[in-house]
Amino acid sequence: MSSHAVLARIARGPKEAALGSPDAGLALADDVLATAADDRDDAVELFFHDAYESNANLVPATAALTACEGGALGVAARVWRGGRCGFAARAVGGRDDLCALVGEARAAPPGPAPAIPQPGDAPPPVTPATTLSVSLARERALDFARRLDAAGARTQVVLVRQYQWWTAVASTAGVRAAQWHEQVNGLVRCETDAGAVVDAVGGTHLDDGWDARPAVARVAAAVAALGGPGAAPDLSLPLVLSPAVAGPLVAGLGWLLRATTAAATPGLDASVGRRIFPRALSVADDPAHPSGGNLRRVDDEGVRARRVTLVEDGVLRGFLHSSDTAAAAGVEPTGNGVRMGVPAPPAPMPSNLHVAARGDAPPPDHVELCARLETLTTMPRAGLVTLVVAGWEVRGGRRVRRVGPFDLDLPLVATWRRLTGTGDDLTFLPSADWCGTPTLHLAPPRA
Amino acid sequence: MQLGASGREVEVARYQGMGETRRDERGSSYRWAQIAPDDPSPRLPPGAAGDATRAVMRRWDERPAALARLDELARAIEADGSGRVPRFDVSLRHFDQRVVAGDAERALVDERGYATIGVQARSHAGAGGRPLRREGAFRDLDALENAWRDVVARLVAVVDESSRRDDPEPVRAGEHPVLLDAGPCALFFHEVCGHPMEGDILASGTSYLSGREGERVASEALTVVDDPAAPRSVAGYRVDDEGTPAAPVALVDRGVVGEPLLDVDTARRAGRAPNGHGRRMSFMYPAVPRQAYTRIVPHAAEPRELASTIGYGLLVRRLRLRHMNVATGDFSFYVNEAHVVHGGEAGAFAAPCVVRGNALDALAAVDGVGRDAASFLGGGGCGKLDQGPLVVGFEQPSVRIAALRVTPEGAPA
């Protein structure tokens, strides 16, 4: 068969994915676990990740448009024995190759054993009705670029990514769960004389999860703020951060509220139940949020995903847990055990972490920050968010002059303790780890 | 694999697959597919490409042995280092890749492999208690096993130095001479010269070097080359990921803006021949112009003399990109490890600071390039679009820049 025919196999939708379906994966897992498990094993787990993607990259200045599509299946095996755990992960072929993978995990140099995930009440997978289309990826990239051009942005590149994948996990401990996933996102990088502005759009449904207009509006707002010389900010005024600017701060909060970070942060663990933030702050992680970037019914350990209240009216309520961190903390797992790729073990990760929108009005005088310039990292050191921002000085509710760009250092905990209110415009940002935030109101940096 | 004070992390990735690029009036399309490890009759391309691929495909069973060896080595290194410096971490990486690239008539094979070690420890008060890091890159695990003690010794030496120094010295905000140490600081030129000279960025008109080919931007002492097959480039290649033989490309040639880095598509648009810089993260990605090994060619200056004429300035040993505006050339870097220079002598560790400037000004301000040279392969790799991190290497002698703006970290720019 020619390579063309080989690749033609891939040009079909979820029903033609490499292994076919989560049910096929679970059936194969049952067979392999029954065959390859050893009486001396405490547990054996198989995790499947079968993905297909179709993407488009567009450079508007040269009209260079590259479409890309393909699919791959990877499997990870963990074998617990005598208080240790071996791990192996790779692309796999058929049944015998899967059995070999279990053997590789058993023979791998063992490390400290994470807690063995326990069975739960995982819901059945829901097969998506849509089929990936590289033509649609092209259309979306061209549409995004046209809209940005109309808004006055100088777009360097547009990346549109469309994914469909299923995951399945099964173990000799009784875990048996699977899920289909879909995601579309479009990333743009726009040049300004002050630097690059990056924004993105996306959602969890390939057909109706795409709306470029909010991202175009955010880029247009940033371009307008950067469109002329700006003054130094008056940091005796409150700060009002638009979602585009606030995103990294919320992503930092998401990092802080993972159980792994909490365990390494002295005093944080012991603060559960205490009001350590202002009453204006409420934070939750909702794997079923309709506007989020992830729709997760079950995590990568087979634990049912659920809404988790992390901060409620300033009171710390808990953290995001995997099975292992939950066992260490003596709590139930929260359904946030996620693998960042087949080669990585599960770790606590948010699904759709977001700050609650209260609809507070901003103060009449403030510094409005609506433009964030691209930097390599927004958290150069743990617990410190550093941004390059620009915007407007607002007096009596009216913009009076441009400010910035200027550097803004935001120590994570201290900044959240300055929160005085939140707007009504909850926005999930693919460019900030899919965190959701409304406009944030902060007390002045300089009292 | 990483082992030490921060715990143990192991990541193993093994995959094989193939992809095909087609070009038409709409642009190019790239389709890829995985090849299952145990496929008894993998559906390979016809002709030379299929034959070449069949010859390099192999079983997976040899891979677990490499992991066991890494694990044993990591434990030995961790046992050695943790007894000598605080919060010692070691990370090891073994990379083994075979690439077949070309077209229906011609397929070239490239075998690539390297092993790296990174060791990190917490410094003493003299360096502010910050992490300090040293690295090494080698052609294979055997070479790494023979040389890791030297890498650990270098880390121990700098950590010991931090115990003998007073607290870090805050830097004075202002424009000062900056001496970039040999080796890792080539990151500066990777960002300031390399990315802006990638063919797709140049073609988009969003590079400050667009339209400047042949223009003098620096003294004759400065030559910046990207050379994937340089002798010291352990992570380089002989053939790029499109089947084009690797070639050194002078980005800045004796102070004059040189050629762009090109893949097949950007070469065609530019009316030039591709020059061996079409790279991809894996078979799952299309090729794009990328750097591979940024090399600053040694010149005539004595390294000690480069420092001796600095009344007040910085000797930078490690830096990390903060931002780079490719369109204007404005940049800023975090300085991770540096010494304040007084009267030509490197003194206390510098407190955290940021160096800033504009690329054209900085290149014009290069007033000394040493005759020493050190190679470096470390850090997290290079990111571009959604392809990253991709391994890149650096080689640089000591380079002095007459004036860069330096501000303490956290101070207004």
Side-chain angles (χ1 to χ4, degrees):
Chain A
M1 184 185 293
S2 70
S3 61
H4 301 177
V6 170
L7 295 172
R9 281 184 69 240
I10 307 299
R12 284 173 264 183
K15 295 193 175 91
E16 303 293 339
L19 203 63
S21 72
D23 290 335
L26 287 175
L28 183 58
D30 290 342
D31 181 9
V32 170
L33 290 173
T35 306
D38 187 300
D39 287 344
R40 291 167 294 175
D41 297 331
D42 296 323
V44 178
E45 175 197 77
L46 288 171
F47 172 79
F48 294 75
H49 184 281
D50 191 13
Y52 178 62
E53 60 184 76
S54 68
N55 309 320
N57 296 353
L58 172 65
V59 179
T62 60
L65 181 59
T66 303
C68 178
E69 57 182 339
L73 167 70
V75 181
R78 293 196 285 181
V79 177
W80 284 261
R81 180 184 284 197
R84 307 284 283 175
C85 182
F87 177 82
R90 57 173 170 80
V92 292
R95 177 193 178 279
D96 290 345
D97 197 34
L98 268 170
C99 291
L101 180 70
V102 172
E104 289 166 25
R106 188 176 290 120
I116 301 171
Q118 296 303 306
D121 58 343
V126 175
T127 303
T130 47
T131 300
L132 285 173
S133 161
V134 73
S135 297
L136 186 56
R138 284 198 186 101
E139 285 172 26
R140 284 171 165 167
L142 290 166
D143 174 68
F144 208 171
R146 274 194 295 268
R147 290 180 184 272
L148 287 163
D149 184 58
R154 282 159 29 201
T155 305
Q156 184 198 36
V157 66
V158 179
L159 309 177
V160 173
R161 299 284 176 264
Q162 303 175 143
Y163 304 101
Q164 268 178 342
W165 72 103
W166 62 263
T167 54
V169 59
S171 76
T172 55
V175 172
R176 204 169 187 279
Q179 180 175 342
W180 273 105
H181 307 255
E182 283 190 306
Q183 195 184 78
V184 58
N185 62 74
L187 183 84
V188 291
R189 189 175 189 277
C190 300
E191 294 287 347
T192 74
D193 289 342
V197 172
V198 175
D199 211 308
V201 62
T204 55
H205 297 284
L206 293 178
D207 49 0
D208 62 6
W210 178 269
D211 184 359
R213 291 172 298 178
V216 172
R218 290 192 296 269
V219 170
V223 168
L226 295 163
D234 179 356
L235 294 180
S236 68
L237 290 173
L239 300 181
V240 172
L241 277 58
S242 74
V245 174
L249 189 59
V250 180
L253 188 61
W255 166 81
L256 187 68
L257 295 175
R258 299 176 203 176
T260 40
T261 309
T265 306
L268 187 60
D269 226 354
S271 298
V272 174
R274 290 175 44 209
R275 177 166 281 116
I276 62 171
F277 295 112
R279 291 179 186 274
L281 182 62
S282 292
V283 183
D285 186 60
D286 184 354
H289 199 290
S291 301
N294 293 292
L295 181 59
R296 198 170 274 144
R297 297 181 176 85
V298 66
D299 73 4
D300 293 340
E301 298 178 294
V303 176
R304 181 184 281 268
R306 57 181 172 85
R307 187 180 187 282
V308 181
T309 299
L310 298 163
V311 179
E312 186 174 30
D313 299 330
V315 176
L316 179 63
R317 293 298 185 196
F319 306 103
L320 301 175
H321 281 283
S322 64
S323 293
D324 187 48
T325 60
V331 300
E332 289 295 312
T334 57
N336 290 94
V338 177
R339 299 171 196 250
M340 299 302 290
V342 171
M349 292 290 290
S351 295
N352 298 308
L353 185 136
H354 61 282
V355 172
R358 291 159 39 104
D360 299 315
D365 298 344
H366 61 263
V367 175
E368 174 197 348
L369 298 176
C370 58
R372 178 170 67 84
L373 296 176
E374 183 189 42
T375 51
L376 185 66
T377 176
T378 54
M379 192 182 287
R381 284 204 300 275
L384 174 67
V385 172
T386 298
L387 309 176
V388 181
V389 294
W392 305 87
E393 182 173 310
V394 177
R395 297 285 183 180
R398 297 186 60 199
R399 293 173 171 173
V400 297
R401 62 176 181 170
R402 288 187 175 89
V403 295
F406 64 98
D407 294 354
L408 184 64
D409 283 350
L410 299 170
L412 207 51
V413 174
T415 300
W416 283 109
R417 286 180 172 161
R418 294 194 350 248
L419 186 74
T420 58
T422 68
D424 62 358
D425 52 346
L426 175 62
T427 305
F428 282 87
L429 298 157
S431 51
D433 297 343
W434 278 107
C435 287
T437 181
T439 294
L440 302 180
H441 310 158
L442 300 176
R446 292 182 194 156
Chain B
M1 168 172 297
Q2 180 172 319
L3 179 65
S6 59
R8 179 180 187 271
E9 288 180 24
V10 178
E11 186 166 309
V12 179
R14 286 180 285 161
Y15 44 79
Q16 59 186 7
M18 65 180 186
E20 178 188 45
T21 300
R22 294 193 184 190
R23 296 178 176 89
D24 58 27
E25 65 283 354
R26 290 183 303 175
S28 62
S29 64
Y30 182 72
R31 303 174 80 193
W32 55 272
Q34 182 183 307
I35 300 174
D38 63 348
D39 192 335
S41 55
R43 299 180 185 96
L44 301 176
D51 294 340
T53 304
R54 199 170 290 108
V56 302
M57 286 177 67
R58 54 191 166 171
R59 290 283 310 157
W60 295 102
D61 49 7
E62 63 197 70
R63 291 304 95 209
L67 181 58
R69 194 174 169 193
L70 272 184
D71 185 71
E72 188 180 333
L73 185 57
R75 291 177 193 283
I77 299 171
E78 200 270 340
D80 179 68
S82 60
R84 300 162 71 182
V85 289
R87 293 197 59 81
F88 178 80
D89 279 326
V90 55
S91 55
L92 302 177
R93 183 176 189 200
H94 179 241
F95 181 83
D96 188 351
Q97 182 186 50
R98 296 178 186 187
V99 169
V100 176
D103 54 34
E105 287 79 40
R106 178 188 61 103
L108 297 179
V109 178
D110 200 27
E111 299 197 25
R112 307 163 184 174
Y114 59 86
T116 66
I117 172 174
V119 288
Q120 178 172 294
R122 187 166 299 282
S123 64
H124 296 289
R130 285 172 290 162
L132 294 172
R133 187 173 175 84
R134 292 294 182 266
E135 299 87 354
F138 307 93
R139 296 205 181 273
D140 52 41
L141 277 177
D142 288 340
L144 191 157
E145 280 188 322
N146 289 333
W148 66 261
R149 288 176 180 77
D150 173 67
V151 179
V152 173
R154 285 190 280 121
L155 178 68
V156 170
V158 69
V159 171
D160 284 349
E161 182 184 0
S162 74
S163 71
R164 297 191 300 272
R165 297 276 190 186
D166 293 333
D167 287 345
E169 181 178 333
V171 296
R172 292 180 223 155
E175 294 213 343
H176 306 298
V178 172
L179 180 58
L180 301 176
D181 199 16
C185 290
L187 170 69
F188 179 87
F189 294 98
H190 170 96
E191 300 292 349
V192 167
C193 296
H195 282 298
M197 288 296 285
E198 290 166 351
D200 50 348
I201 294 177
L202 279 170
S204 72
T206 55
S207 167
Y208 77 95
L209 292 174
S210 292
R212 292 183 186 271
E213 187 170 347
E215 179 179 323
R216 177 165 295 284
V217 295
S219 78
E220 289 203 1
L222 183 65
T223 296
V224 182
V225 177
D226 197 277
D227 186 1
R232 294 192 188 192
S233 170
V234 299
Y237 51 84
R238 297 175 305 113
V239 175
D240 77 1
D241 296 335
E242 295 181 303
T244 304
V249 175
L251 307 176
V252 176
D253 189 359
R254 288 165 292 178
V256 175
V257 176
E259 299 174 53
L261 301 171
L262 298 170
D263 65 353
V264 167
D265 277 345
T266 53
R268 192 180 71 252
R269 287 176 194 276
R272 298 180 189 240
N275 55 21
H277 283 79
R279 302 188 68 192
R280 48 184 109 217
M281 281 287 292
S282 74
F283 67 89
M284 301 181 191
Y285 297 88
V288 292
R290 300 292 295 265
Q291 299 169 78
Y293 189 74
T294 310
R295 178 171 175 259
I296 290 76
V297 177
H299 202 249
E302 278 293 336
R304 288 189 63 83
E305 285 179 11
L306 291 175
S308 67
T309 56
I310 295 177
Y312 177 87
L314 276 184
L315 166 61
V316 176
R317 297 202 189 279
R318 292 279 193 282
L319 73 178
R320 184 159 56 108
L321 179 70
R322 180 170 176 274
H323 96 284
M324 175 72 199
N325 184 341
V326 177
T328 63
D330 292 336
F331 62 81
S332 60
F333 288 83
Y334 292 108
V335 175
N336 287 354
E337 185 186 332
H339 293 266
V340 182
V341 177
H342 291 278
E345 294 291 332
F349 284 89
C353 58
V354 177
V355 294
R356 308 167 190 269
N358 178 271
L360 288 174
D361 294 338
L363 293 174
V366 171
D367 65 355
V369 177
R371 64 176 66 199
D372 57 333
S375 61
F376 174 78
L377 191 157
C382 174
K384 178 174 178 177
L385 301 179
D386 60 343
Q387 294 203 39
L390 182 67
V391 65
V392 290
F394 307 127
E395 184 181 324
Q396 180 184 295
S398 303
V399 175
R400 188 175 67 199
I401 302 175
L404 284 178
R405 192 153 49 95
V406 184
T407 54
E409 206 175 283

